[in-house]
Amino acid sequence: MSSALLAIGRRRTTAERRRDRERDIIRATRELFDERGTIDAQIDDIAKRVGINKALIYRHFAGKEELFALTLVDYLGELDKSLDEVDHPRRAPLNRLRALSEAFVDFCLGYPAFTDCAMSLLRRTGEQLFGEITEPVMMKLGTAMAAPLERIAAILAAGQRTGVFDEVDTDYLANHLYTQTLGSLHMARVGLIVSSGQPGHPVVHHADVGTVRSTAITATLATAVGRKALNHRTTTRSARAGEKS
């Protein structure tokens, strides 16, 4: 065998080893996320879980933020499979959106670290993200996010055609619902709500997970229906007022 072919073989083997190690690191990161949450998952712990020196992690990833972004890609792939399992195109758009919202909320509750990781990236500006994450990884993250968002946008468009949902840009609204749900589920993650007590003495309560879940789902449906619900309510009131007069 020629030296050129041997060199190609060695490069291919090296590339394969690199991909395998990257997968191992992402798998270990997700395991630690699910066990401890994102805050307590340190690079040292991830390296120990894989059985490598932590310096090797920085040879594969630009930094902690990039590693977390790729771990989020892994979560998003699983989320899209969960949404696909409950999505039935022949259902009415409102029922389809309810099924997807329930699956999304339950995924967030089942994997709290997914909510943490997604919220962590959402808190950064686009400029900050591109400064911390390389373009190929940003492409992977964007592609992973686009899959469930495209599914939601298609349902919103179907609902608009049948007159059920408000006439709002479907891509924008899909992104809004994604962010809105993550924010709602963060309340379950924190586990607390605050109310006013005596002056200067706020009262802290436990946040009931079931209430957070149902409210998040209802909020998704209400946002999709939007102004149509307000218009219907106004029309109904006007009709009742006319009947009384």
Side-chain angles (χ1 to χ4, degrees), residues 165-168 222-234:
F165 296 150
D166 196 8
E167 294 289 339
V168 180
T223 303
V225 175
R227 290 169 295 185
K228 286 188 172 294
L230 295 175
N231 293 338
H232 175 74
R233 188 175 181 183
T234 302

Side-chain angles (χ1 to χ4, degrees), residues 20-198:
D20 288 343
R21 178 163 286 170
E22 287 177 356
R23 283 193 291 266
D24 289 342
I25 294 170
I26 292 170
R27 187 183 305 114
T29 304
R30 173 150 180 194
E31 287 174 358
L32 287 170
F33 277 6
D34 291 336
E35 291 171 12
R36 308 179 187 178
T38 58
I39 295 176
D40 293 327
Q42 302 299 319
I43 294 295
D44 285 334
D45 297 324
I46 295 168
K48 288 178 183 177
R49 180 68 62 99
V50 181
I52 60 175
N53 187 294
K54 90 171 181 180
L56 287 175
I57 292 182
Y58 292 105
R59 291 185 185 178
H60 291 271
F61 306 97
K64 188 175 182 179
E65 289 76 16
E66 182 164 293
L67 175 56
F68 282 20
L70 285 169
T71 306
L72 181 59
V73 168
D74 190 70
Y75 278 116
L76 287 166
E78 187 172 335
L79 170 63
D80 192 51
K81 290 179 182 178
S82 299
L83 298 181
D84 185 60
E85 289 173 358
V86 301
D87 188 21
H88 302 288
R90 292 187 179 182
R91 284 182 179 172
L94 190 64
N95 291 335
R96 285 181 70 190
L97 186 60
R98 179 185 289 109
L100 260 65
S101 180
E102 290 172 350
F104 184 28
V105 168
D106 289 340
F107 186 86
C108 291
L109 292 174
Y111 298 104
F114 163 73
T115 305
D116 290 347
C117 196
M119 290 292 290
S120 175
L121 290 177
L122 285 173
R123 282 193 290 269
R124 287 170 166 78
T125 65
E127 185 177 351
Q128 288 172 330
L129 283 175
F130 277 103
E132 297 169 346
I133 301 172
T134 58
E135 186 174 344
V137 173
M138 284 294 292
M139 289 292 293
K140 288 182 180 180
L141 179 60
T143 300
M145 289 183 65
L149 291 172
E150 183 179 10
R151 186 187 301 276
I152 296 169
I155 295 173
L156 293 171
Q160 290 178 359
R161 288 194 296 270
T162 58
V164 176
F165 296 150
D166 196 8
E167 294 289 339
V168 180
D169 181 89
T170 55
D171 290 326
Y172 162 79
L173 191 54
N175 279 266
H176 178 88
L177 293 175
Y178 172 81
T179 307
Q180 175 179 283
T181 301
L182 287 173
S184 298
L185 270 294
H186 187 64
M187 184 184 294
R189 188 75 169 116
V190 173
L192 301 173
I193 58 175
V194 180
S195 63
S196 60
Q198 296 180 356

